[in-house]
Amino acid sequence: MSSQIDVRLYPSLSAGFIASSPWLALVISALLIGLTGPPLLLWFCPVGLAGALWQARASGLLASSDSVVQLSVDEDQLFARLRNGKQFRARASAESRVFGKMALLKLTLHDTTLKPPMIVIIALSPELRWSRNSNPEAFRQLRVWLRLSGPSRSRDDHNDSTER
């Protein structure tokens, strides 16, 4: 059975904010603890801000050359197209989380050592166009494929490679 799914990702500040939220939590924590306790922790604020800016730029604004701008499924294989134009066969890692209207994907790319940044897919209703970065119908198809085909295939690929 051949399923063809094509999810194009568009720059989104909402996705950038979600992706950078762990860095922002570090900044807030370091700021609060540094102001009330040891001021040495304030040195983590610039590091956290730099990390948040990098993550928002790479995962939200898709400005990094390693940013994933398209996910597609063809012949039950997941493919990721990067901003630099290269396309790789990919596998969603166990760290990925798929929700009803959002997905946080951590991909492993085959035949390369590249580690793309986390992929945030937001597919809210068409009325909220400003807060989504993909087509809701294409995301629904990908979500169903990831839940039904993706994880079992990922385990099979892992078992095949460990048995060899």
Side-chain angles (χ1 to χ4, degrees), residues 37-112:
L40 195 60
L41 289 177
L42 291 174
W43 285 98
F44 286 105
C45 290
V47 173
L49 281 175
L53 288 173
W54 173 82
Q55 194 71 55
R57 184 178 176 274
S59 296
L61 300 178
L62 307 176
S64 168
S65 64
D66 294 341
S67 295
V68 175
V69 295
Q70 181 179 2
L71 293 169
S72 55
V73 176
D74 191 20
E75 303 272 336
D76 275 338
Q77 292 288 322
L78 180 64
F79 293 93
R81 181 174 305 279
L82 305 182
R83 185 168 185 258
N84 62 15
K86 296 180 182 175
Q87 182 170 325
F88 297 98
R89 192 167 61 104
R91 180 174 52 95
S93 74
E95 300 164 354
S96 299
R97 298 292 177 253
V98 179
F99 305 101
K101 300 288 183 185
M102 182 175 71
L104 306 173
L105 300 178
K106 191 70 178 168
L107 295 184
T108 303
L109 302 180
H110 294 276
D111 301 327
T112 185

